[in-house]
Structures are given as structure tokens and as C-alpha cells.
Amino acid sequence: MLSIYPACFFKEDDGYSVVFPDLNWLSTCGETESEALEMAIDCLAGYLFDLRMDEEEPPKASALSDISLEAVAAELEADTTGAFVNMVSVDVAEYAKEHFEKSVRKTLSIPAWLNIAAKEKHINFSQTLQEALIAKVRA
């Protein structure tokens, strides 16, 4: 199911900034218009996926005609030269399968004694590595 939200694209010296007024001013950026759109899709998917994981309802999307580029620009103290509003859409479930839930195979080396000890205790190597990496990333 597609989720569609309006986003404001602001031209900057080094690319584009993208802001979703309906989503607590969620923002991202890209060096080109195309990259900014790709980043907006990724940002939107991640935000809505997190809401889904937390079992929260996403906010209702505004109609494109209800978004005032000038009002958003004033709030952000941004220039409207080269700025525009565009609808950004993503199928969160499909995007999550490809980008958030997809497993990646990694090859690693551990000491032989550690391998033997872990096998004796029936430790799941993948799960243990994921837990350790998550702890490190969040630290």
C-alpha cells in the first residue's frame, strides 16, 4: 500500500533540502534533485516503518494544495528561489523488505577456541553478532 506525503524541496548552494511538514518537520537532503527525491523516499519509508514498529498511527497527509511553500520557508527561514512542493510516495512494506529487513551475509574470523566454546553452548552466531552490533551502534 502506497503512503504519500507532501514534501518541500529547497534549492541550496550544495544541493536540495527536503522537509515533510506533516511529519514533525522530518528532513533530509541530496546533492541533486534526483538524489534528494531518493533520500526523501528513504526518509519517508524509515519514518513510517518506525511508526509501524512502535504500533503508532502515522499522521494524516495534507493535500498538496494545502501546503504553503511560503509558510514553510518562513518557518525555516529558507529561500523559495528554486523551491517546490512535491508528493513523495513509498510502499513501506516493499521498501522495508529490500532496505530494512534484508539480511546481508558477512564472513568473519574468530579464534578456534571461541568457536568450540560457543558451539558447546549452542550459541546462535548470527543472533549474537546482531545483538552486539546493535548495542555498539546505539552506544
Side-chain angles (χ1 to χ4, degrees):
M1 181 172 96
L2 277 181
S3 296
I4 306 170
Y5 283 85
C8 300
F9 289 71
F10 294 97
K11 180 73 175 114
E12 313 251 350
D13 292 337
D14 57 349
Y16 287 84
S17 292
V18 184
V19 178
F20 291 91
D22 291 336
L23 303 175
N24 298 318
W25 300 89
L26 179 69
S27 63
T28 189
C29 62
E31 290 183 11
T32 64
E33 191 175 311
S34 178
E35 183 180 292
L37 179 58
E38 287 178 27
M39 296 301 295
I41 293 167
D42 184 69
C43 188
L44 177 61
Y47 184 85
L48 296 176
F49 183 76
D50 284 347
L51 288 179
R52 185 176 293 165
M53 293 293 95
D54 293 340
E55 298 180 358
E56 294 180 30
E57 284 293 316
K60 187 176 184 300
S62 297
L64 187 62
S65 59
D66 292 339
I67 299 296
S68 167
L69 185 59
E70 291 72 22
V72 173
E75 181 74 24
L76 299 172
E77 299 178 5
D79 184 5
T80 58
T81 305
F84 59 94
V85 181
N86 194 37
M87 297 302 274
V88 176
S89 65
V90 66
D91 182 327
V92 178
E94 285 301 313
Y95 196 90
K97 284 180 192 173
E98 179 64 27
H99 299 279
F100 304 142
E101 298 169 344
K102 182 179 178 180
S103 293
V104 178
R105 180 173 293 280
K106 292 290 179 187
T107 303
L108 59 105
S109 299
I110 60 173
W113 68 267
L114 185 57
N115 184 54
I116 293 167
K119 282 184 172 183
E120 286 174 356
K121 294 193 178 250
H122 305 287
I123 293 174
N124 181 315
F125 287 83
S126 292
Q127 180 182 357
T128 302
L129 178 58
Q130 287 179 47
E131 290 169 354
L133 288 170
I134 289 169
K136 282 279 195 184
V137 168
R138 291 184 178 165

